[in-house]
Amino acid sequence: MTYEVEPAVHPELAAHTAHFAKRVYTVAGHVHVAVGWSSANAAVIEGPDGLVVVDTGSGADLAAVIEAELRPQLRDPKAPVRAVVVTHHHPDHVNGLSHWAATPDVDVYAHRTFLAALTDQSGPTLHIMGLRSVYSLGNLLGPSDTEGVNDAVGPHAGVGTPSFVMPTVLVGDALETEVAGVRLRLFHNPGETDDAISVYLPDSDVLLCGDTIQGPTLPNIHTLRGCRYRDPMQWVRSIDALRAHGAAHLIPSHGQPVSGADRVAEVLAVERDCIQYIHDQTVRRMNEGLTPDELAETIELPEHLASYAPYAREYYGTVKHTVRQIFFGYLGWFGGDPVDLDPLPRAEHARRTVALMGGRERVLGAATEAYEAGEYQWAAELATHLTRIDREDTDARAVKAAAFRRLGYAQLNVNWRNWYLTSADELEDRIQPILPLINFAAVFAPRDLVARIPAAWLIELYTTRLRAEEALEVDTVLGWRVLGGVHGEEEVALHIHRGVARFLREIPADAAVVLELPRETVESLHLGRTDLRGALAGGDARTIRGGAADAADLLDLFDPLQPRRPTELTLR
């Protein structure tokens, strides 16, 4: 069974693309903002003694292109870069660091929690977050599905070549300084991330706010790729801190600058009111007993906010997902109905439901009828019962994929659109999502960053990869001796004790097996460029205690980076 669905773009989303046309904007005569070459802007503050860069673009190669566009706009096109400010740790803001901070005399400013946030992003959930980001950003979609579409906060641009340089100046609550002859006030301004800082230029009344104003869209309080909880009221307080400046110019790290004190004040007021309205009304209705599903059906922005384009439009964030995030942030996952305490496994629930509905053919027929009637969500839900019973049910996959395409092409929200369309490609076997995972994970963990992380921390992550069911009778120690790298020689161990891998900060005398390997091999293991068995067989690792066969047996207790079965997010 085949379905023909012509590619389309929601007209308002298509029109939104013009917001990210490639252009260098000059603000207050000396701040130059490159919009459209990267998913995040890079801004250059021109001072008497050189340049201060705020955010870097999403890769070293893209940063080079951005600099070539910016230089002709400067009074002194050869002015040296004196400092780089990174407003927070996300890749599109920091992955061009090695280009702008190419020499040791360039200071890099970041919040004092920046490194912790960046390392956490590169840690236990690195690989699933990388995969989910592929879905959210539409990186696997073909040209027919990306032409004329933006990423809601920027152009649909490439991710670039990731890079990293260590910060040299860490900012606490606030820092008043002068760089390149320009007075700067850097202050902690958490919103999208807890490590966010904003920059105020008192002599020209310019605010560079990073992603505290996320760009020309309703803020993304919850991101579908996954992240730690984003506190809405902390975000509101940070916007209020921006409002207190009464600035004449506002430069977000996404989208066009905003000029005029009245216009800046209006944009800031609308953004903070949208967030607080959703938060307050969600909490109010939570206290009336509404569940996450009921909240999503009930809470809507009032017209005066919802219609404020583009800053309150749901190109990136959505009310339906924000209310769920707020519920989970306050109360956790449980909605209050004990039926959810220990539900039937999904496949078993699907089998029983399909049987009650009269069997596969009846359900498939109903899904097809729903699709033909334009009831695409219902068609997809019906087909999902069948794909949970049999992942290879091609007829069910076909109708579900077609329904997803119809839903995706109609979406104003680009994250929803990308998930629908990428999942449709997955259902139709057009993509194998696991293949780009390794390369995309490197976007969140540039090799330059991984080189700075202690090997002990990278090895501790193996505790989350132990196949416990195969290690319930195991009680032994695997030692690691790591040579080289900026941290010098490191020795740690994993005590595999009946299904738990306990991390030890030294190798005990009774360790059954001790591996010796260079720092570069540990990094390659973390980034998925090799695996432990392969490193041992290829000579990139060796045993200095215990035999190679014993080492291989222990290594086989840990999951490889790539899952043992295809990672199909849509078919679960």
Side-chain angles (χ1 to χ4, degrees), residues 85-133:
V85 179
V86 287
T87 62
H88 61 290
H89 69 277
H90 282 165
D92 50 335
H93 299 257
V94 305
N95 277 4
L97 262 171
S98 70
H99 174 80
W100 295 107
T103 57
D105 61 328
V106 178
D107 276 323
V108 176
Y109 290 76
H111 190 252
R112 59 181 174 80
T113 61
F114 169 84
L115 281 172
L118 191 61
T119 303
D120 180 68
Q121 175 183 270
S122 308
T125 60
L126 168 66
H127 303 296
I128 186 60
M129 187 178 292
L131 179 58
R132 289 167 66 103
S133 295

Side-chain angles (χ1 to χ4, degrees), residues 14 75 82 101 112 137 245 333 385 409 489 564:
R75 291 188 293 269
R82 300 297 188 190
R112 59 181 174 80
L137 298 175
H245 289 82
W333 65 269
H385 290 306
Y409 291 141
E489 182 177 314
R564 294 189 163 199

Side-chain angles (χ1 to χ4, degrees), residues 97-345:
L97 262 171
S98 70
H99 174 80
W100 295 107
T103 57
D105 61 328
V106 178
D107 276 323
V108 176
Y109 290 76
H111 190 252
R112 59 181 174 80
T113 61
F114 169 84
L115 281 172
L118 191 61
T119 303
D120 180 68
Q121 175 183 270
S122 308
T125 60
L126 168 66
H127 303 296
I128 186 60
M129 187 178 292
L131 179 58
R132 289 167 66 103
S133 295
V134 166
Y135 280 68
S136 288
L137 298 175
N139 293 104
L140 301 183
L141 297 178
S144 65
D145 285 340
T146 57
E147 185 176 356
V149 181
N150 57 81
D151 284 348
V153 293
H156 189 73
V159 294
T161 302
S163 68
F164 182 69
V165 172
M166 286 287 285
T168 58
V169 182
L170 297 179
V171 179
D173 290 338
L175 173 67
E176 307 272 356
T177 188
E178 183 175 306
V179 182
V182 179
R183 287 199 302 148
L184 307 171
R185 180 175 186 267
L186 288 75
F187 58 98
H188 190 211
N189 202 220
E192 184 189 55
T193 66
D194 288 342
D195 67 319
I197 57 176
S198 291
V199 183
Y200 180 59
L201 311 181
D203 295 328
S204 51
D205 206 13
V206 175
L207 266 174
L208 297 100
C209 65
D211 279 5
T212 302
I213 296 300
Q214 211 171 39
T217 179
L218 184 72
N220 205 16
I221 304 297
H222 172 70
T223 174
L224 294 179
R225 73 173 179 269
C227 67
R228 293 194 181 276
Y229 180 63
R230 295 173 173 178
D231 183 341
M233 292 312 297
Q234 175 178 262
W235 203 327
V236 166
R237 289 189 289 272
S238 288
I239 298 177
D240 283 342
L242 297 176
R243 294 172 67 218
H245 289 82
H249 306 279
L250 178 71
I251 302 177
S253 288
H254 295 278
Q256 301 170 2
V258 180
S259 287
D262 290 345
R263 173 67 169 161
V264 170
E266 183 177 87
V267 168
L268 292 174
V270 167
E271 287 272 289
R272 58 97 57 224
D273 282 355
C274 283
I275 299 172
Q276 185 172 349
Y277 183 94
I278 299 168
H279 170 270
D280 291 354
Q281 295 309 304
T282 298
V283 172
R284 171 188 164 221
R285 295 305 188 113
M286 285 168 54
N287 282 317
E288 293 175 359
L290 269 65
T291 66
D293 288 344
E294 291 168 334
L295 291 167
E297 295 166 6
T298 303
I299 307 297
E300 294 182 349
L301 286 173
E303 178 63 19
H304 75 279
L305 293 176
S307 63
Y308 189 88
Y311 295 94
R313 303 296 292 155
E314 296 187 47
Y315 305 117
Y316 202 48
T318 68
V319 177
K320 285 183 181 291
H321 291 172
T322 299
V323 299
R324 296 177 186 276
Q325 174 84 336
I326 293 168
F327 184 98
F328 295 151
Y330 279 109
L331 296 181
W333 65 269
F334 181 48
D337 187 342
V339 77
D340 296 325
L341 292 177
D342 190 18
L344 288 173

Side-chain angles (χ1 to χ4, degrees), residues 435-449:
L435 297 179
L437 186 154
I438 305 305
N439 290 335
F440 204 87
V443 172
F444 288 92
R447 194 161 204 166
D448 297 340
L449 167 64

